[in-house]
Amino acid sequence: MLDYFLSKLPIKIEVLFVWLRASKEVRSQRRLMRDRDSADKLEHHEWLDKVMPDIDSFVLKNGDYLTIDTTAKTVQEVVNEIKTRL
């Protein structure tokens, strides 16, 4: 899907896809703390867990991606990690 997206760009550019991960427990805790709207309902997050690919088998042929486990990281630590990759 991401390779398809890259193939449809009108010009050749470098794109870095950033995949943020966290344990299911931490994701649930963060969701409860946000409690923004219906998008934070448990069933939406359970559905995402089912449809998202296993990151260990993730393949991107024509681009670059970075996987960051955010389970025990602050927002600033995650931002810094992304910046070092740019």
Side-chain angles (χ1 to χ4, degrees):
M1 179 73 116
L2 295 176
D3 281 315
Y4 177 77
F5 167 78
L6 289 172
S7 73
K8 295 301 179 187
L9 294 175
I11 58 172
K12 272 286 199 202
I13 60 171
E14 289 186 37
V15 176
L16 174 65
F17 293 99
V18 179
W19 189 284
L20 303 178
R21 299 176 64 183
S23 70
K24 187 170 185 169
E25 295 78 23
V26 168
R27 290 192 322 269
S28 292
Q29 185 180 39
R30 291 174 181 169
R31 175 185 53 79
L32 290 171
M33 287 175 17
R34 281 191 308 262
D35 192 29
R36 296 175 298 204
D37 54 29
S38 63
D40 278 332
K41 287 187 178 179
L42 180 60
E43 60 264 21
H44 296 292
H45 290 263
E46 288 176 348
W47 178 82
L48 283 172
D49 284 341
K50 291 177 185 174
V51 299
M52 297 306 284
D54 175 13
I55 192 62
D56 296 326
S57 64
F58 186 75
V59 176
L60 182 62
K61 297 177 185 174
N62 299 311
D64 194 15
Y65 72 96
L66 170 63
T67 303
I68 302 173
D69 186 341
T70 68
T71 300
K73 294 182 180 176
T74 66
V75 172
Q76 191 58 53
E77 289 171 325
V78 173
V79 169
N80 290 342
E81 197 166 332
I82 295 169
K83 283 180 169 181
T84 62
R85 193 60 193 274
L86 298 177

